[in-house]
Amino acid sequence: MSLVRCHDEVNECMDASQTMMGKSVSTNQKRCNIQGLGQATGLSAWWTGRIFWKGYHHTLDEADVYDVLPQDSTVKLSNNLGREWEKELYRWKTGGHPSLLSAVWRCYRPQILAFSLLVLVEETLRVVQAILMGHFIQMFRTTGAGGATLPYPDVYIFGAFLCVVFLVNIFLDHNFFHHGYRMRVAATSLIYRKVMRLSYSALTPKVMEDIINLVTREMDVFPMVVLPATYILIGPLQLGIVCYLLWDWLLLGPVCMAGIFVLFLLFPLQILMGKLSRILRQKTDTFTGHRLRKLQSIIGGIQELKTGCWERLCEKVLTASRDEELVHMRKLSRLLSFNSALTLTAGKLVMFVTFMLVLVTGRTITAMQIFTAMALFETLRISLSILLPAGILFLNDTLKTLKKIQHFLMMEEKGTLSMSRGSFQMLNNDVVIRFSNYFGSRQKSLDAAMALVNIELDIEKSKLYAVIGPPDGGKSCLLLAVIGELERHKGQLFHHGRLAYIPRQPWLFPGTIRENVVFGSEFVRHRYNQVLQSCALSQMLDAFPQGDLTVVGDRGVTIDNSVQAKITLARAVYQNADIYLIDDILSGMDGKSSMHIFKKCICGLLQNKTRLFVTDNAQHTQVANNVIMVSQGTVHFSGRYDDIHRWGITVSHFLTSRTHPEMDVDKMADISSPLIQDLSSTLLPPPSPDSVKDSVTGSFEMLQHDYKDPGDTLITGDSDTSFRSISSTGSAYKWYFLLGGGIFGVIAFFVLCIFEQGGFVLCEWWLAYWSENFQSHNESSVINVTMFGPAIWILDEKVYIYLGLVFFTVLLSFVQAGFFFWLANRAAEVLHNLALTSILEAPMAFFDINSPGGVLSRFLRDVGIVDTMPPILLDCIQSFSVLIATVVVVGATNYWLLLVVTPLTIAFIVARHYFHQSTQDVEKIELASKSAVGGHIISSMEGIQTLRAFGVEQRFLHNFDVSQDRSTAACYLHLAANRWFGMRVDIIAFLVVVSVTIGAILVVQYQDVWMPSSLVGLSLFYALNLLNVQHPAMRKSAAVHFKMKSAERLLQYYQMSPELDVAVDTEVKPSLMWPQYGIITLEGVSVSHPGKGPSPLKGVWCCIRAEEKMGIMFKTAAEQKAFMSVLFRLHDYIGVVRIDGIDIVNVSLQRLRDKIAVIQQNPTLFTGSLRQNLDPISRYTDAQVWRVLEEVNLSSFVETLPQRLYADISTVIDSFSTGHRQLLRLARAMLRQSKIVVYEEPTTSLDYKCNTIIQKLLRTKFERCTLIHIAHLPDTIIDTDRVMVISEGRIQEVESPHILLQNKNSRFYKFTDELGMFEMHRLKKLAQDKYENKPYIAPNINPEDFEEGASSRNQLRHPNNLNVLPTFHSSRLVGVLNQLPTNKFSTNRL
């Protein structure tokens, strides 16, 4: 039955689209001029041929995809289903029960009934085809002992009708059906529209996860249910007709019921195996999710992983997680192998049981009976044991999915009366927001807890309001009430003017940084640059390879929360709104950025705007025009800051001052400069043709412009010699099988394939021979003898031969399927392990080029595809085995047919190649378009509050409709491709059938050679079966070819060059005590930028003395990153870096990184136990670990965790703040007692307690260590021995803080001056006290400790010689350290 391949085709399309990958779809879509697209068959779709002719010679892109027809558009489909759903909602409101199933049935009932009738006609023709084949075979029976005669013209009539019915079946089978896709589009559209209306309380993380699963996975059941569900009605009808034909027409009598009984046994068995496979898949997916979450945390903290030498531990953890996943995969593989073998041999078992009983009952059998029964049983087998169980399972899944969708559609929506956009009559001229006796909650129910209680508040125009209060006291709810996200229970809320909302949690949609900032507004360069500068983004963007055109989001560059917060703020500032609602966005930034943004943006660029600013910073509160204190949902105070204490209110317990201590409040008013002016006067030039525009006017057509192509090679640095790729996909096939079973395993598998297919052919040939044996006896002397005795005696030997053939074939089928799944699972396991090891050993340059999202997609999508590829790969191999067997059988029965079959085989091979080349781009386009739809929904849910606050819901709805239409068009194009090529391939099968039919007649008529009816039946049965095999074989081979590219990409990881860990000078070997002093020297070190930007380090010369406390301030994050990469050898650099006189290139990476402790600015907690995060290789005892935890004040916190030290990090990770994570890394550094410690201040502000503990520990626990303190503000490094300022890639100054503060032209002085006069005076005192009372004292250094790693004196070069890099001789280095306490190196030497 060829309809089953349509069902398989839909399954493959759904399987190929499971994983989210994305590439934006371009504009300028072609308009389809074929109005009959929905009903076009493969032959009439001439427009498809033009597209794929182009696809064969050129690369197809999204512009080549036609637009969908109006009846298939998202708006049309969603309106149709939405109208029927509204009827159900009306029934619900009037006391009835709503049913989404009823709405879907009314909406698509005509199409479903028409399609069911079409399937019924086709199945009827299948039965008619079997009957015609039987009559045609009957024409070749011997009529006498004389010659060979054929009944003319009957043989021509039956032959012609047989060919015509076969041709009609081809046209019916290739009808373009897509009603299931329409259902999916309509349901997805209803879900998205519901998302935009959901209330704030309803859209919980659990609901969001359910929506994602619905849209990306469970919706795919609609296209898959349409075809098999029809067999719930057609199957029993077909069973009755076939039983009648077997019993009465073929005269098999009650014997035929034995075969029917076997088919009935297969029916519940298929359902059981289907349910078991789904259960195992769900369990496997659960463990896959665990593995991917662990990998995500590892990839996200890859730099910390490498600097902390965590590779082996992480590999062990991930391998263990993969092993848990493989346990269930092996169970699933055993089930699938059994199902595959059973499906393949079911027809042979049915025929064996039937004809064995025919023999026992003493009945005669003919070739006509055998092959007609085989055709009828095959038709019934596919209907009853494949499509009918699949229909029941898919219908059950569809009903469950509809229930989930219905439950979601009936969820609570956002109230329409949550706020009122006030008129001028309700508001004074100076009041823009008014709360009047306002009561609000997060839920609609009357008994819901009130989030805001009796709010009476007026917000005046152009003022800054600081909203303060304890955590969870209702501060954020005050802002949510203004944007309408709270449900109003009582009172009124009015506001006048455009709103801009900046949430506490940053939100970015997939796209470039510029698109996220512009957010659909007109792009004006001058205005854009001012916003970037005020939000501290100008210099930060230089660190990205493509600047503000860098793609962010799931498929783009991963950026930390502080940068995301700045972009989120810049988006709101660029919109030039009237009222700004800022929900503590600065708490996620470092102190320097926070101070800059508060001065230049909130109090500068927005100084003429109304601002409600939630904060916990005392200085922000002092600068604000008014202070609003909210506690327990009530406004307890509204007025000036100076009046708080007069009211007897204590605010010190929830206000901090870490961001910029004791900032001079008087300076905040004087922040205007010629560069940054008032937003209203400068940033809104009148529209004119001269306005500078660098992109389209905010259109979301470029929403995901730079997403990676799902099929493109992930390793983008192809020009780099460290990244090599395998030659072709053919090599991937070779390595896939070799990794799975080796050369002997591959040979054994193909031998099994040959013997298995040979066994199938022999079974059918033996039946044909058996039928001829019966006929010869019936024509001889046994005609008057009782058939039972002679029949048993004569055919006894043949019975055992047939029994042996069937047993041998069935056994080989199960062995072959089991062996193949074992081989494929082993290949998947090895490919994953090789790719994982390569990733963990890859250089940091790889992660700079490839986004973390792209790397994760390889282990999500590619590993998932390789894991699930065995079933379709085995089906493909078996299908081609049948094709080869068909050519052999047809040629063996009539050697003249080789003249026809040979060129047709060549044509099939050419068509297969053409199909592969033409459709691979179509599959990529379909994957990208579907991924764009899913990404749009996910992004909209994450930023739903921002979308509503900015009032862009309709714009996002329109973009969703556009993305969905493009996905539908790409999906239809993919189906049209299969139909178009399938039609032409089936024409080849039709020519084979015609050749077999005519060839049999011509051989008898013109050569006077007798053709036994058994051979005619055998060749004709195989020829007619091509309709079920040929096109599926080609389609499955294309799917396997596409999936094998995933194995190819995993192999590319394996061939990637790891980090170079080879000593340059093997004669230089550090001592076992290295490093003893912690002396770090950089000699002419330069680091080039990976993109087009300036080099972050340019000829840096410096020396950090033994046990010195060095504070370093970098101008840009790129300079800081480059410095860290040089110190840990994460990237290539020019120059020499020495530690205690030893060039670090002569030290193994493992030892180098193990000897330097680093506390990252954003520490990552890796999967595993808490103890493993402190001591990965169990080097220390539990007592030692508890001791350092107590020293960092974390022991009491750890004791509250379940299992304490051995608590699973994944279960308690939410309990760890950034301060806790830094304290853990600090504890690890104390545990290791490293001689060199690097501390990076976090990009987010720490709470006061954690920051105090960290600063104290840095000064007391690392006195005998060299400490490099990388700071954002001067206050934390004021008491270091020296301060180094690096800007524009060079060291601008390095000296004691006291001396630098005496020079008003020094950069360090300017940084300190920005903190205010009072703070400057305080810091000067601290620096003077350090300089006079606690100067740096060099430890005793033994020059002999440097002789082993020293260079000879004749290798020394003068610093002015630019062709070489000078080296420091050990004795000279020691003399410098002992005699020059400042030891300042000039940067002008290069």
Side-chain angles (χ1 to χ4, degrees), residues 1252-1312:
T1252 303
I1253 295 173
I1254 291 173
Q1255 298 301 326
K1256 179 181 178 181
L1257 291 174
L1258 290 176
R1259 287 160 176 77
T1260 58
K1261 296 298 180 180
F1262 299 99
E1263 294 180 350
R1264 307 297 298 174
C1265 302
T1266 299
L1267 175 64
I1268 300 176
H1269 188 148
I1270 300 175
H1272 302 292
L1273 291 174
D1275 58 336
T1276 56
I1277 57 174
I1278 198 66
D1279 57 348
T1280 56
D1281 296 319
R1282 286 188 299 165
V1283 170
M1284 182 187 301
V1285 179
I1286 297 181
S1287 177
E1288 298 177 359
R1290 299 182 182 275
I1291 299 177
Q1292 302 299 328
E1293 54 195 22
V1294 51
E1295 190 52 271
S1296 169
H1298 173 68
I1299 296 177
L1300 291 176
L1301 289 178
Q1302 306 306 311
N1303 181 8
K1304 294 186 178 181
N1305 295 324
S1306 71
R1307 294 174 181 262
F1308 187 74
Y1309 180 90
K1310 295 178 181 178
F1311 290 149
T1312 310

Side-chain angles (χ1 to χ4, degrees), residues 141 359 470 622 734 1303:
R141 289 195 62 184
L359 174 64
Q622 296 176 32
K734 179 185 71 175
N1303 181 8

Side-chain angles (χ1 to χ4, degrees), residues 1194-1207:
L1194 282 180
S1195 57
S1196 58
F1197 173 75
V1198 174
E1199 287 177 350
T1200 62
L1201 300 177
Q1203 298 181 333
R1204 303 199 298 177
L1205 274 181
Y1206 297 92

Side-chain angles (χ1 to χ4, degrees), residues 1080-1083 1085 1126-1127 1133 1135-1139 1142-1145:
I1080 304 174
T1081 59
L1082 277 68
E1083 307 170 16
V1085 173
V1126 167
L1127 193 60
Y1133 60 90
V1136 178
V1137 179
R1138 300 181 190 274
I1139 297 179
I1142 301 294
D1143 193 340
I1144 62 174
V1145 298

Side-chain angles (χ1 to χ4, degrees), residues 59-243:
T59 300
L60 294 176
D61 55 27
E62 294 84 351
D64 296 306
V65 180
Y66 291 114
D67 285 345
V68 295
L69 295 176
Q71 61 265 29
D72 292 322
S73 66
T74 302
V75 174
K76 175 69 173 178
L77 296 176
S78 63
N79 288 342
N80 291 342
L81 183 57
R83 187 164 48 249
E84 299 298 332
W85 174 240
E86 288 294 334
K87 297 178 182 178
E88 296 297 321
L89 290 179
Y90 177 78
R91 178 187 303 176
W92 175 50
K93 293 176 182 178
T94 56
H97 297 282
S99 173
L100 183 60
L101 176 62
S102 300
V104 172
W105 172 248
R106 290 196 304 270
C107 188
Y108 296 100
R109 178 172 51 196
Q111 297 93 321
I112 293 175
L113 293 178
F115 177 72
S116 300
L117 180 62
L118 179 67
V119 175
L120 178 61
V121 172
E122 185 173 2
E123 287 302 324
T124 303
L125 289 178
R126 301 291 176 198
V127 177
V128 172
Q129 179 178 283
I131 296 173
L132 291 173
M133 182 184 71
H135 282 292
F136 184 79
I137 295 173
Q138 189 70 13
M139 299 293 104
F140 288 83
R141 289 195 62 184
T142 305
T143 58
T149 60
L150 288 175
Y152 301 107
D154 294 350
V155 66
Y156 289 105
I157 294 175
F158 282 111
F161 271 105
L162 180 63
C163 295
V164 169
V165 170
F166 187 88
L167 184 63
V168 173
N169 273 335
I170 292 177
F171 281 92
L172 290 177
D173 185 57
H174 288 281
N175 188 279
F176 195 93
F177 64 92
H178 52 274
H179 309 305
Y181 291 95
R182 288 178 173 176
M183 296 179 194
R184 184 182 69 178
V185 170
T188 305
S189 180
L190 288 184
I191 289 177
Y192 184 74
R193 282 161 168 75
K194 181 68 175 184
V195 166
M196 303 302 283
R197 302 192 303 268
L198 275 183
S199 65
Y200 172 77
S201 59
L203 200 58
T204 61
K206 179 63 171 62
V207 172
M208 292 176 62
E209 183 180 355
D210 293 340
I211 294 172
I212 294 172
N213 288 331
L214 269 176
V215 173
T216 60
R217 301 182 64 178
E218 298 184 35
M219 284 294 184
D220 292 335
V221 74
F222 290 113
M224 293 189 289
V225 74
V226 174
L227 175 63
T230 59
Y231 282 84
I232 297 177
L233 298 177
I234 295 176
L237 180 62
Q238 189 179 39
L239 173 64
I241 295 174
V242 171
C243 285

